[in-house]
Amino acid sequence: MTNQWWRDAVIYQVYPRSFADGDGDGVGDIAGIRARLGHLRDLGVDAIWMSPWYPSPMADAGYDVSDFRDIDPVFGDLSEAEALIAEAHEAGIRIIIDIVPNHISSEHPWFKAALAGGKERDYFWFRKSQNMPTNWVGEFGGTAWTKVDDDTWYLHLFTPEQPDLNWEHPAVRAEFESILRFWFDRGADGIRIDSAALLFKDPALPEVVEGEPHPFHDLDAVHDVYRSWRRIADEYEDRALIGEVWMPDVERFTNYLRPDELHAAFNFDLLGCAWDPYLMRSSIERTLDAHAGVGAPPTWVLSNHDVTRHVTRYGRADTTFSFENNLDGTPADLELGTRRARAAALLTLSLPGSAYVYQGEELGLWENESIPEDQIQDPMYARRGHTRDGCRVPLPWSGDEPPYDFTTGAPWLPQPAEWKDRTVQAQTGDPSSMLELYRSAIRLRAFKDRDFAWLDRGAGVLAWTRGADFACVLNLSGGPVPLPEHETVLLASGPLDGDLLPQDTAAWLRLK
């Protein structure tokens, strides 16, 4: 392995439907991404993670895949995907694609054959029963079983249009190993693995009982799959496997990061953490200690396509996030949330490991919680009363009103009129803008391979050094605090008061 780029990379998540539209139909596509690749080059990111772009009926925004070896026509075609990978590489940017191994679309040829009684029925979880086989609750809420005839049910941990695969079957394993090679052969630099801990189910189908082993979360057999995937990745040069692993147990989480399994996994601990100095320090320490134990790089994530944008979260009285605690519509002070989001950017970009930036995060976008109910498309809304559409609204590029040059048509989700000051055009060249803060911070990450050490600056202040001459200080106390002795301020998330660091502000310092 010559270049372990994923260990300290800045990785930008592109949600293709909402990044940029190249053909004017209101939905983002590969042509739009290729046309806007310069934005990502200028931002300075090391890699792009592409959310699913495969053929799909879009029952769950593309996470219901009907063919992993092609591109949905709404986004373009396979030749365009290959051109994007090549152009990104020319710009010095790697490409990570999204693989969804837990389930496929009900329109996938396998499931159609299964319903017709073919051998493919064994590739899924069909059970004969007069009553629902279990009372399992799906990941979106609601039942996890759908009846197909008088006494046969199939399992789906997400929507009924997403039947779960049976990973005990060798044909399922072989198919996904082939899919990995298909994309590695086309130049993909990494694979992001959706719902990585859910693949296996207890064949006895026990009910979920608190304190007992869970019947479909984090079963040990899943690790054999990722060991086989790692062997495939190691056949290629500098390829990475990155898991989406929602796992509160730190030891169980790091099992996925053992040297012969995944290279990295999303750390959601800090994402869900309250804006609180003690809790945030505890989260950072927990993360660093756990990853050090297996020699894996930590990852830092503030937002993604599934969670409320952190400008909104940090402006609420309750600054935490969880799917169980629906805070949609809770009042948010967006000025406060933006100030904290700016500080959080300097935090995540200066910690050891890799940082993930969700599209629009670099523009300071907030959650659009004003989408009319009849325009909501997220299937989670009907089951939980929470929609993820508010963080998936198309990006604003230029102009004073929607669609902000995202498209020449009508965007698939409405954009707020208040985003006219959040466009790429409006922020470019403005040293006080969120965009220029991100550009500067990513450019200044020369310390990324240096040792980390905490710096004691008193209660309510988080501070650390990276090597002998760099420090980050984040003030979470109730008032301004003095900066440590330093040679110069490299970057600050907001205005300083002389050598005082205001509340909810972070600064990067060159030490003497």
Side-chain angles (χ1 to χ4, degrees):
M1 192 67 64
T2 58
N3 181 3
Q4 298 185 27
W5 55 270
W6 59 86
R7 298 191 69 90
D8 54 19
V10 176
I11 300 170
Y12 185 97
Q13 182 188 356
V14 166
Y15 191 72
R17 294 179 68 86
S18 298
F19 187 74
D21 175 22
D23 63 9
D25 66 356
V27 178
D29 49 35
I30 295 173
I33 298 167
R34 293 172 66 188
R36 300 287 188 179
L37 201 56
H39 170 68
L40 303 180
R41 180 199 60 224
D42 294 345
L43 188 59
V45 301
D46 300 294
I48 302 168
W49 154 31
M50 302 290 302
S51 289
W53 52 7
Y54 313 106
S56 167
M58 300 294 170
D60 185 20
Y63 281 88
D64 49 318
V65 178
S66 56
D67 183 354
F68 279 101
R69 295 181 179 84
D70 204 352
I71 301 296
D72 194 287
V74 76
F75 300 132
D77 58 34
L78 186 57
S79 66
E80 288 183 278
E82 292 171 337
L84 171 62
I85 293 171
E87 290 164 8
H89 287 169
E90 289 174 7
I93 299 172
R94 300 176 189 268
I95 294 285
I96 300 165
I97 64 162
D98 212 318
I99 295 291
V100 188
N102 178 70
H103 50 264
I104 55 178
S105 168
S106 56
E107 294 298 312
H108 191 286
W110 273 7
F111 194 69
K112 289 182 176 181
L115 291 179
K119 70 180 188 306
E120 291 84 358
R121 180 163 287 224
D122 293 339
Y123 301 174
F124 301 91
W125 287 89
F126 283 93
R127 287 294 183 270
K128 287 186 176 295
S129 175
Q130 289 186 339
N131 301 312
M132 191 178 299
T134 71
N135 66 359
W136 292 357
V137 175
E139 298 298 290
F140 288 171
T143 178
W145 295 92
T146 288
K147 184 183 284 190
V148 295
D149 57 34
D150 289 344
D151 63 352
T152 304
W153 307 71
Y154 70 88
L155 176 68
H156 51 85
L157 294 183
F158 293 86
T159 70
E161 296 84 5
Q162 295 166 284
D164 278 40
L165 290 163
N166 174 17
W167 274 86
E168 300 285 355
H169 200 290
V172 173
R173 297 194 186 203
E175 170 68 359
F176 276 85
E177 290 178 4
S178 174
I179 290 167
L180 260 60
R181 287 193 170 93
F182 178 89
W183 285 105
F184 284 151
D185 288 343
R186 277 152 187 78
D189 301 282
I191 304 292
R192 181 264 188 186
I193 305 163
D194 181 72
S195 300
L198 297 182
L199 274 56
F200 283 83
K201 285 78 181 174
D202 185 335
L205 300 183
E207 300 294 357
V208 178
V209 178
E210 188 174 355
E212 297 292 327
H214 200 284
F216 58 84
H217 280 176
D218 186 37
L219 272 64
D220 288 339
V222 75
H223 297 287
D224 289 336
V225 171
Y226 297 135
R227 289 187 184 100
S228 72
W229 287 22
R230 178 61 176 263
R231 289 192 291 271
I232 292 170
D234 287 348
E235 294 173 11
Y236 297 80
E237 188 175 359
D238 304 335
R239 303 302 206 269
L241 303 173
I242 302 161
E244 182 198 27
V245 183
W246 292 87
M247 192 71 59
D249 185 309
V250 171
E251 183 176 347
R252 299 294 297 185
F253 173 84
T254 54
N255 282 344
Y256 291 80
L257 300 174
R258 289 174 289 199
D260 62 343
E261 294 192 42
L262 306 182
H263 297 86
F266 292 109
N267 162 37
F268 296 112
D269 195 68
L270 185 66
L271 181 152
C273 186
W275 188 257
D276 173 275
Y278 173 78
L279 295 176
M280 292 176 75
R281 175 162 177 156
S282 297
S283 175
I284 294 167
E285 289 178 335
R286 203 162 43 240
T287 298
L288 295 177
D289 290 347
H291 286 77
V294 289
T299 64
W300 307 102
V301 186
L302 295 173
S303 286
N304 65 33
H305 66 291
D306 284 332
V307 308
T308 304
R309 286 191 178 273
H310 58 278
V311 166
T312 297
R313 296 200 318 266
Y314 288 155
R316 291 173 172 160
D318 182 346
T319 53
T320 63
F321 175 83
S322 74
F323 288 114
E324 289 71 34
N325 185 20
N326 184 0
L327 297 173
D328 289 3
T330 303
D333 180 340
L334 296 180
E335 182 179 347
L336 174 63
T338 299
R339 185 162 68 249
R340 289 172 170 175
R342 292 175 63 89
L346 297 196
L347 177 146
T348 57
L349 289 167
S350 61
L351 290 171
S354 57
Y356 285 76
V357 177
Y358 176 50
Q359 65 177 43
E361 182 178 322
E362 79 280 16
L363 303 178
L365 301 185
W366 56 84
E367 192 85 354
N368 181 11
E369 297 187 307
S370 300
I371 300 173
E373 188 170 4
D374 63 357
Q375 295 185 46
I376 291 175
Q377 302 190 33
D378 183 9
M380 186 183 284
Y381 183 69
R383 294 167 175 81
R384 288 191 174 182
H386 164 71
T387 176
R388 299 165 295 176
D389 286 346
C391 67
R392 299 174 174 182
V393 174
L395 296 189
W397 291 96
S398 62
D400 295 327
E401 60 185 15
Y404 302 116
D405 203 24
F406 165 76
T407 180
T408 56
W412 72 282
L413 285 174
Q415 301 160 300
E418 295 82 4
W419 278 4
K420 63 183 178 65
D421 298 324
R422 293 291 185 270
T423 67
V424 175
Q425 181 186 56
Q427 296 193 52
T428 296
D430 178 358
S432 67
S433 71
M434 185 76 82
L435 177 57
E436 293 299 347
L437 178 74
Y438 268 84
R439 286 173 172 169
S440 297
I442 293 170
R443 186 177 66 250
L444 289 168
R445 290 180 81 238
F447 51 78
K448 61 188 179 181
D449 58 351
R450 301 177 191 169
D451 290 339
F452 171 95
W454 288 108
L455 187 63
D456 184 9
R457 299 302 298 171
V461 178
L462 297 183
W464 54 88
T465 58
R466 300 293 306 278
D469 63 351
F470 175 88
C472 178
V473 185
L474 170 59
N475 180 12
L476 297 165
S477 72
V481 298
L483 290 169
E485 187 175 354
H486 59 279
E487 180 179 300
T488 187
V489 176
L490 297 170
L491 190 62
S493 65
L496 304 181
D497 182 8
D499 276 344
L500 294 178
L501 184 67
Q503 183 180 1
D504 294 325
T505 304
W508 286 2
L509 309 174
R510 177 178 290 123
L511 303 178
K512 292 184 177 180

